Amino acid sequence: MARAKRIWIPSRFYHIVTRGNRGNPLFRCHTDFQAFFHILDQLYEKIPFELASYCLMTNHYHLQLRSKEQSISKVMSLINKRYANYYNTRYRLTGHVFEKRYYDKIIETKEGMLEVSRYIHLNPIRAHMIKRPEHYPWSSYHFYKYNKAAPAYLDTNSVLKYHAGAAEEQKRLYCESVEEVFLF
């Protein structure tokens, strides 16, 4: 049976999840995380895309992704192919790095944008890796929490714009909405 063709709506963000094959780690060390970010930087120069949030866990990753110029399938194909080539070369492996096709879900509402971003940023807490989202270095949360220069592909405004006030007030309100979820 043929796989269903993926739907691409250029104006929409998608929640993307990709898992390591057989639950194996995708990121074994600091260098692997950095290599993934380097791939995003390189790809962004050729095919612009936007991330509203991201979190790289050890055996999977989450992206809140929009691509206006190329299909999500094309962007994800390039990200995963480049990372698989890096990973297999670095660890002298062959074969599949990723479990299967990536999971994707269109985000259709303001509430959905906020919910997916919070979910992504709280992933390391749910996995009992950290106690506070700003302590996890491989997520975009610290760009929301602190005044740090974000990579070109990260557009925090696509989530922050749903909060009232100036930029600092939007950041504060967003971070409070994330932190109130894990405090209860």
Side-chain angles (χ1 to χ4, degrees):
M1 184 159 97
R3 294 191 277 198
K5 187 174 179 179
R6 294 191 188 264
I7 298 169
W8 172 47
I9 303 172
S11 62
R12 296 284 188 202
F13 275 89
Y14 289 71
H15 181 194
I16 306 287
V17 183
T18 302
R19 298 192 175 283
N21 199 21
R22 295 181 200 90
N24 290 333
L26 287 175
F27 307 99
R28 296 184 186 188
C29 67
H30 177 86
T31 305
D32 296 343
F33 291 103
Q34 294 298 338
F36 190 85
F37 291 130
H38 181 70
I39 289 166
L40 293 180
D41 285 331
Q42 285 184 320
L43 185 58
Y44 177 78
E45 290 177 14
K46 293 182 179 183
I47 303 174
F49 60 89
E50 299 167 68
L51 295 182
S53 61
Y54 64 80
C55 187
L56 310 183
M57 302 292 283
T58 52
N59 68 349
H60 70 283
Y61 67 82
H62 294 264
L63 304 176
Q64 192 170 5
L65 172 74
R66 172 168 63 187
S67 177
K68 294 180 179 179
E69 295 181 21
Q70 291 287 329
S71 71
I72 297 293
S73 295
K74 177 73 171 173
V75 173
M76 289 308 301
S77 172
L78 290 169
I79 290 171
N80 285 349
K81 181 176 182 350
R82 289 179 184 188
Y83 188 74
N85 288 342
Y86 157 81
Y87 190 89
N88 280 339
T89 300
R90 175 169 171 82
Y91 295 107
R92 298 180 182 170
L93 300 170
T94 59
H96 296 284
V97 172
F98 300 103
E99 183 176 75
K100 55 186 170 184
R101 289 174 69 180
Y102 63 89
Y103 162 87
D104 70 319
K105 183 171 183 184
I106 298 172
I107 305 168
E108 303 206 35
T109 64
K110 161 192 164 180
E111 293 77 17
M113 285 293 289
L114 294 167
E115 181 182 324
V116 167
S117 184
R118 282 192 297 263
Y119 177 85
I120 288 172
H121 287 141
L122 291 171
N123 214 256
I125 291 174
R126 281 190 299 280
H128 305 288
M129 298 170 80
I130 55 164
K131 299 226 184 276
R132 301 191 55 83
E134 64 266 26
H135 295 162
Y136 194 70
W138 313 117
S139 116
S140 56
Y141 186 74
H142 55 272
F143 295 109
Y144 284 86
K145 182 82 173 174
Y146 305 113
N147 289 323
K148 295 176 73 174
Y153 52 79
L154 182 63
D155 179 15
T156 57
N157 188 51
S158 37
V159 169
L160 294 177
K161 70 181 180 185
Y162 296 118
H163 293 286
E168 289 306 311
E169 179 69 3
Q170 290 173 328
K171 281 184 172 191
R172 184 186 66 74
L173 290 169
Y174 174 76
C175 290
E176 284 177 3
S177 77
V178 170
E179 292 168 11
E180 75 185 11
V181 171
F182 76 85
L183 291 175
F184 293 106

